[in-house]
Amino acid sequence: MTMFERIKELAKSRGKNLKQVALDMGFGENYFYTLKTQSPKAETLEKIADYFNVSIDYLVGRTNIKSIPEDNTVHTFAAHHDGDEWTDEELEEIEEFKRFVAMRREARKSKGE
């Protein structure tokens, strides 16, 4: 799914169309259509992610983890291999979680927490 498609889906889940979201955010009414052929600036990505309460990684398609915890905390996660075999899908889920945790750590650093 492209970034444009993800944003369109997120807008729809809020009962809005892309024009309404663009205007809410102070963009031109057709701004999101430019994302079909152009990459937004980092500040714009952050603004869109904050608006929808999703990670930038979700917007750009690096993860399918949509939500950010309300309290912005990462809860303890532990895994023990115990000799069991992991499927490729399970290993990818673990990698997605690692990227999510790293993204939240960087966000906290940039906010001075």
Side-chain angles (χ1 to χ4, degrees):
M1 185 181 301
T2 66
M3 181 179 354
F4 172 80
E5 293 167 332
R6 286 180 186 250
I7 293 169
K8 188 174 182 179
E9 179 183 274
L10 289 164
K12 184 178 178 181
S13 73
R14 288 187 168 210
K16 295 187 175 197
N17 61 40
L18 291 175
K19 178 181 175 180
Q20 291 169 314
V21 173
L23 294 174
D24 285 352
M25 297 183 70
F27 300 145
E29 62 185 46
N30 293 315
Y31 172 74
F32 291 115
Y33 291 94
T34 67
L35 300 181
K36 288 183 171 185
T37 58
Q38 299 173 23
S39 296
K41 294 178 182 178
E43 306 84 46
T44 304
L45 270 177
E46 184 177 359
K47 185 175 182 178
I48 296 167
D50 288 347
Y51 179 88
F52 289 113
N53 196 32
V54 297
S55 69
I56 291 173
D57 279 349
Y58 176 77
L59 285 179
V60 299
R62 291 179 52 164
T63 183
N64 288 323
I65 299 171
K66 225 185 251 191
S67 61
I68 297 173
E70 285 293 321
D71 59 3
N72 288 332
T73 60
V74 176
H75 302 280
T76 303
F77 175 81
H80 192 293
H81 191 283
D82 237 3
D84 295 334
E85 292 298 318
W86 296 92
T87 66
D88 288 341
E89 185 177 280
E90 291 168 329
L91 290 172
E92 179 56 30
E93 287 179 25
I94 292 168
E95 289 300 318
E96 282 185 25
F97 185 75
K98 286 172 41 182
R99 287 190 294 270
F100 173 76
V101 171
M103 182 268 315
R104 292 305 308 147
R105 181 177 50 235
E106 289 302 313
R108 282 192 304 276
K109 280 184 191 175
S110 68
K111 290 182 180 179
E113 294 179 13

